[in-house]
Amino acid sequence: MNIKENIKTKIHSNLFPEFIKVIDFSSQHKNHYENKNSGAVSHLSLIIVSKYFEDLNRIERERKVHQILDEEIKQHLHSLRLKLYTSKEYKLIRG
């Protein structure tokens, strides 16, 4: 299983998201980030919408995702951007 699929699986089994999107922007950093594996995933952005976030502030949400993805962050990722929303918040920004 590749890193992006592994991340999706972990997020699904822990946060039961209504929506998840994994965006790989590693190619934008190929010239200034020394990556051991050419073409490897190193920079990701995650958009996650989950009811789990309803009683958590922004920092608590990010901590939870970091706990879930601890191994991936330590072993594979150089950068992880997080956009974490409740259903209500996501509906407001999507219009």
Side-chain angles (χ1 to χ4, degrees):
M1 185 179 310
N2 72 36
I3 185 75
K4 291 185 278 187
E5 289 303 317
N6 193 41
I7 287 171
K8 280 186 176 182
T9 299
K10 283 187 168 186
I11 295 297
H12 275 286
S13 63
N14 286 278
L15 297 177
F16 311 101
E18 297 167 38
F19 176 79
I20 181 170
K21 185 171 186 176
V22 179
I23 303 162
D24 183 355
F25 61 102
S26 303
S27 64
Q28 297 173 10
H29 301 275
K30 63 184 176 187
N31 294 325
H32 73 268
Y33 172 66
E34 186 176 320
N35 199 335
K36 295 174 188 168
N37 301 319
S38 180
V41 174
S42 60
H43 294 69
L44 292 177
S45 180
L46 298 179
I47 302 170
I48 304 169
V49 179
S50 174
K51 290 181 181 179
Y52 180 87
F53 297 140
E54 287 180 8
D55 294 326
L56 302 177
N57 65 38
R58 184 176 153 231
I59 293 171
E60 292 168 330
R61 294 174 190 188
E62 290 188 9
R63 282 185 182 146
K64 182 63 179 172
V65 173
H66 278 257
Q67 289 171 348
I68 294 167
L69 302 178
D70 184 60
E71 181 181 333
E72 290 75 14
I73 292 168
K74 287 179 180 175
Q75 295 183 12
H76 301 284
L77 299 177
H78 178 69
S79 173
L80 180 63
R81 296 178 188 169
L82 298 173
K83 300 288 184 179
L84 309 172
Y85 304 103
T86 64
S87 298
K88 190 176 184 179
E89 292 167 341
Y90 194 65
K91 286 177 186 174
L92 285 173
I93 64 167
R94 296 291 293 173

